[in-house]
Amino acid sequence: MIEVLVVDDQELVRLGLRTLIENEDGMSCAGEAADGLAAVAAARRERPDVVLMDIRMPGVDGLTATRRISADPSLAGTKVIVLTTFEHDQYVFDALRHGASGFLLKDTRPADLLAAIRAVVDGGALMSPSVTRKVIRAFVANAPRPARPHPALDTLTDREREILALVAEGLSNEEIAARLVISPATARTHVSRAMVKLGARDRAQLVVFAYQSGLGD
């Protein structure tokens, strides 16, 4: 059973998400929270598999809550999916940098949201296909970058660095395979090795490392 914590300051939104989750086989709503502080407390209490996190909330916002959840060793198994809108694109990269496993638009179709929850639980990272390239390229370009690249970047092979740059473009394993004329399984293996070498917890953090290391567009 996949346990999902719903975090949003709008009661109607929480009700809709809770109803959707509770009516899906294999999923259950672990609880609700209306602000970031309550979200962190609920996550520590319930230990959900996934947190659906709104960003703009009164008091402690979703970015701060995401950072606290991701930094808590006891919540290592909890993944955060940020729910955003086009008006708030600028928060997406910060959400990924603070530990979110990806993001979705609030107008995502219900079936896609449920699929996203399952994808994250299965170890993947999720970025809404319709905005990934636009958002990451636009806002990472304006984000502060460290003075030096990831300290383990030199441990990557040339092929792994090449694939890391393609991951930063938002390409899936299948798209990477098509671009490099290799099999999806080979692309997946290279991505996994890059994650291990760089210590990335998931594909979303791999994108962050790529941009911070100057490998993104």
Side-chain angles (χ1 to χ4, degrees), residues 16-17 19-21 23-24 27 52 83 104-118 126:
L17 290 172
T19 301
L20 177 67
I21 291 165
N23 283 292
E24 176 69 7
M27 289 189 192
L52 295 180
L83 300 179
L104 287 173
L105 297 180
K106 281 192 172 182
D107 62 0
T108 295
R109 295 185 308 166
D112 291 339
L113 175 60
L114 295 172
I117 292 172
R118 295 187 186 281
L126 181 73

Side-chain angles (χ1 to χ4, degrees), residues 154-175:
D154 289 342
T155 66
L156 300 185
T157 65
D158 289 342
R159 179 60 103 182
E160 288 165 353
R161 288 171 69 102
E162 183 179 22
I163 286 181
L164 179 58
L166 295 179
V167 170
E169 286 187 35
L171 270 63
S172 67
N173 291 336
E174 290 71 20
E175 291 170 327

Side-chain angles (χ1 to χ4, degrees), residues 28-43:
S28 177
C29 188
E32 301 177 14
D35 60 66
L37 188 63
V40 175

Side-chain angles (χ1 to χ4, degrees), residues 7 17 26 73 81 83 88 99 113 119-120 125-126 151 179 188 192 205-206:
V7 183
L17 290 172
I81 297 176
L83 300 179
H88 303 142
L113 175 60
V120 167
L126 181 73
R179 178 82 65 88
R188 187 177 305 109
S192 296
Q205 192 173 47
L206 198 60

Side-chain angles (χ1 to χ4, degrees), residues 46-76:
E46 304 296 339
R47 307 294 172 86
D49 299 296
V50 176
V51 178
L52 295 180
M53 182 77 74
D54 186 22
I55 290 181
R56 296 289 292 271
M57 295 182 291
V60 176
D61 64 17
L63 292 179
T64 301
T66 296
R67 184 176 66 248
R68 291 179 183 177
I69 290 172
S70 299
D72 190 334
S74 70
L75 295 176

